[in-house]
Amino acid sequence: MLYRTFPPAQRVQISSVLIVPTVIAPATGPVLGGLLVDQLSWRWVFFVNVPIGIAAFLFGLVFLQEHREPTAGRFDLPGFLLVGIGLALALYALSEGPTRGWSSATVVGSALGGLLLLAAFIVTELWRQEPLLDLRLLGNRLFRTANLVSLVSSAGFLGVLFIGPLFLQEGLGVTPP
């Protein structure tokens, strides 16, 4: 939507505005969620989204212009099935590995099946005219580098958000409020 709405000279400035909620939300979300659950009820975690959703809907209704693609393209059913089943099997293996054991036939079988289906997905997507995910974009050095930097920085940031509370509770013995 940024590329359709703003000219090239303004895209960097506008995209920097989008970084603010992306950085602030993971830090403030758990605090506000904890405050709502502690002071009111766990149901308020869902109720608080209603006015935000209404405001976002009204903002979109007023400021966003409808855009229609000239050609919608065809749905990539083989790619959809390969990536869906492959990711499901890989995630199943990762979630069951710690409890069943990493050498369990179920875990090894689902991990190998998932990886094989994901490899088939990559081959299929590179071959198709209208892929579900255009992997040829990764041939562009700037695009590839920007996505790798984003992946590593996001993984590090979210990893700290995951490990931080565990360290506070298990390592330092701090109890949640």
Side-chain angles (χ1 to χ4, degrees):
M1 289 194 322
L2 286 176
Y3 282 93
R4 286 193 305 262
T5 307
F6 298 98
Q10 292 180 335
R11 288 180 190 155
V12 173
Q13 182 182 13
I14 295 301
S15 63
S16 66
V17 171
L18 294 176
I19 293 173
V20 173
T22 305
V23 171
I24 292 175
T28 59
V31 174
L32 293 176
L35 184 69
L36 286 172
V37 168
D38 191 44
Q39 299 299 317
L40 299 172
S41 165
W42 63 269
R43 291 173 180 86
W44 279 93
V45 173
F46 301 102
F47 294 146
V48 76
N49 289 320
V50 173
I52 294 170
I54 292 171
F57 176 75
L58 292 174
F59 178 84
L61 200 61
V62 172
F63 293 107
L64 295 179
Q65 296 175 359
E66 183 178 2
H67 173 78
R68 292 183 187 251
E69 290 292 326
T71 58
R74 301 183 61 144
F75 181 68
D76 181 16
L77 183 62
F80 175 76
L81 292 174
L82 287 170
V83 77
I85 297 169
L87 284 174
L89 287 172
L91 289 174
Y92 177 77
L94 289 172
S95 67
E96 291 297 316
T99 55
R100 292 182 185 241
W102 293 103
S103 59
S104 161
T106 305
V107 172
V108 171
S110 61
L112 286 176
L115 291 175
L116 285 174
L117 287 173
L118 291 174
F121 169 74
I122 291 170
V123 171
T124 301
E125 295 306 287
L126 290 173
W127 175 75
R128 293 188 65 85
Q129 193 72 9
E130 294 178 348
L132 183 69
L133 180 63
D134 191 1
L135 298 173
R136 289 180 224 106
L137 288 173
L138 295 173
N140 181 321
R141 188 174 66 91
L142 181 61
F143 182 80
R144 181 180 58 244
T145 305
N147 277 282
L148 284 173
V149 167
S150 177
L151 172 73
V152 170
S153 64
S154 296
F157 179 66
L158 293 174
V160 167
L161 286 178
F162 178 75
I163 295 294
L166 288 176
F167 172 70
L168 290 172
Q169 290 178 2
E170 300 295 326
L172 299 181
V174 177
T175 59

